[in-house]
Amino acid sequence: MQFKYLLFAVLLIVGSVSCEEVGPSINLVQTDRVVVIEEYTGVRCVNCPDGSDKIQDIITQKGDDKVIAISIHAGIFSAPYNGESNEDFRTPDGTSLLSYLGEPAGNPTAVINRVQYDGQQYRAVGLNDWSGYINEELQKTPMVRLDMTKDYNETTRELNGSVELFFFEAISGNVNMTFLITEDDIEDVQVTLDGKKYDYKHKHVLRKVISSSYTGDLIGTDIAANFTTTINFNYVLPAEFNAEKCNIVAFVNRDEGATLDVLQATKAHVVD
C-alpha cells in the first residue's frame, strides 16, 4: 500500500497541536478497546437527564477507562435560560459537530464511536441502543495504540502533553487526531420531568476542541501497519473552566467521506 504522511504544526491563539515521527520505542502491547459516546443534549431537553443517567450507569458497569463520554450541547434544546442559566454550554465546535455527525431524530441520542450502524437511519441512536452498540464496539480489536502523557501548570493554567501512536494495521483514507476538553459537575439549571433543577450537575460537557478543526488534525493518508508517531498538544485553560473537573480527551478518527469511525481513544484528568 502506498504510504503518505503529513507532519504538521498548528499554532492557535489558545492552543496548539503538532505531530512528529518517532522511533519504535513505544510499547507495542495491544490494549483494550476504548469507546467514545458523544451525547446530544441541552438544558431545555426534559428527557436528557435520563440520557445522562444512562451514560453514568454504562460507565459504572464498564469502567471510565473503557467508555469516554462527551456531552455536546447543541440544537434546539440547548439555548440557556435567560436570567436563570449561569452559563451557555453551546460552543461553535459543538454546533459544527452536530452538523458533521448528523442531526438526530430527537434527544436524548448519542453517536457511538461515530459509526453509522446498519439498519439505523441516523448516526445518532436512542438511549435504548447505547449499551448494545457500546458492547459491540468493546469487542473490536484496536487498530491503533494511544499512550498519553501530560503536564498542567496551575499558575499559568497551561496544559501540555503528547500522545504516542502505534498503528497495528494499515488504514486507508484520511486518519485524524482529535484533542478536546470536557468538564464534569458544572452546577447549573436543567429542565427535568419534575421541573427546572437549578443545582443540576452537568457532566462530560464539551468545552473546547483544541485541535485546529472540530474534525481533528490529519495524521496521514493511507497509513501503513507499524507506523509510529507522536502528536503534541498545548492549551491554556480559560479562567471559567474548573481545571480540577476538566479532562483532556484524545482519539484517532477516520475522516473519509461517510466513514468517520473512532478507532481508539484515551482520556486523562487535567489535574491529577
Side-chain angles (χ1 to χ4, degrees), residues 113-116 123 252-254 258-263:
N113 268 354
R114 299 188 174 179
V115 175
Q116 175 70 60
R123 198 179 302 272
V252 174
N253 55 291
R254 301 186 68 182
T259 303
L260 309 176
D261 303 14
V262 173
L263 302 179

Side-chain angles (χ1 to χ4, degrees), residues 2-106:
Q2 185 71 26
F3 168 65
K4 300 173 285 183
Y5 61 87
L6 175 68
L7 302 181
F8 60 86
V10 181
L11 297 179
L12 307 177
I13 295 176
V14 294
S16 66
V17 176
S18 64
C19 174
E20 59 184 17
E21 189 173 0
V22 298
S25 60
I26 187 172
N27 186 346
L28 306 185
V29 176
Q30 187 67 270
T31 55
D32 291 336
R33 191 75 157 94
V34 179
V35 177
V36 173
I37 175 169
E38 293 169 281
E39 170 203 21
Y40 293 144
T41 188
V43 300
R44 295 174 181 264
C45 172
V46 68
N47 292 314
C48 285
D50 289 341
S52 180
D53 290 343
K54 179 68 172 180
I55 289 175
Q56 287 307 116
D57 288 344
I58 292 171
I59 290 175
T60 298
Q61 293 170 11
K62 304 299 182 183
D64 63 1
D65 59 336
K66 297 293 187 293
V67 178
I68 297 173
I70 302 165
S71 294
I72 301 172
H73 288 253
I76 61 175
F77 300 112
S78 62
Y81 287 101
N82 292 332
E84 296 179 286
S85 294
N86 297 320
E87 292 196 51
D88 185 349
F89 294 131
R90 296 174 299 178
T91 65
D93 295 321
T95 300
S96 296
L97 284 170
L98 181 68
S99 176
Y100 177 67
L101 299 175
E103 296 273 354

